[in-house]
Amino acid sequence: MDTTSPHTSIICLVAIHAEADQSCKICIQAQPAPQQSCLPVGLALRLLNGEDVPLAQVESAESDSFIQLPYFSGFPKESFSVELALGEQSHHEEFTI
């Protein structure tokens, strides 16, 4: 895979599972697009708080087919942000449970 390509496609998956106490268990994973076999080396996946301070981070290594943040919990109407970054490029997305 040519990691210097300006057109790297990444899929970000967010799974939310409702718990009995009304909280939600959340999992966030980054995967390569179907036409690619692995993630580019050095792709960072970050969970950010409301002030954009990283709470958790994982980074891809050679031949990784996915990376995943540790599971975390939240309650309905709470917000969190996720950032994908590779070199000089980044994408920031906000979510509300």
Side-chain angles (χ1 to χ4, degrees):
M1 178 175 166
D2 180 9
T3 59
T4 62
S5 170
H7 303 290
T8 300
S9 296
I10 306 295
I11 298 169
C12 184
L13 301 170
V14 178
I16 300 175
H17 181 267
E19 299 288 325
D21 66 355
Q22 304 299 318
S23 70
C24 295
K25 187 175 181 180
I26 301 164
C27 176
I28 300 174
Q29 190 177 89
Q31 299 179 0
Q35 68 273 19
Q36 300 167 336
S37 61
C38 60
L39 293 168
V41 173
L43 175 71
L45 174 60
R46 298 181 184 103
L47 173 65
L48 308 171
N49 69 10
E51 298 170 354
D52 290 337
V53 174
L55 300 173
Q57 176 176 319
V58 291
E59 192 170 305
S60 63
E62 189 172 340
S63 301
D64 279 346
S65 59
F66 74 95
I67 53 176
Q68 179 175 303
L69 289 168
Y71 284 86
F72 63 97
S73 295
F75 288 91
K77 301 190 181 193
E78 286 185 334
S79 297
F80 63 93
S81 296
V82 173
E83 181 180 59
L84 285 167
L86 180 62
E88 298 289 320
Q89 296 182 336
S90 67
H91 179 77
H92 184 108
E93 192 75 34
E94 294 183 24
F95 297 88
T96 301
I97 302 169

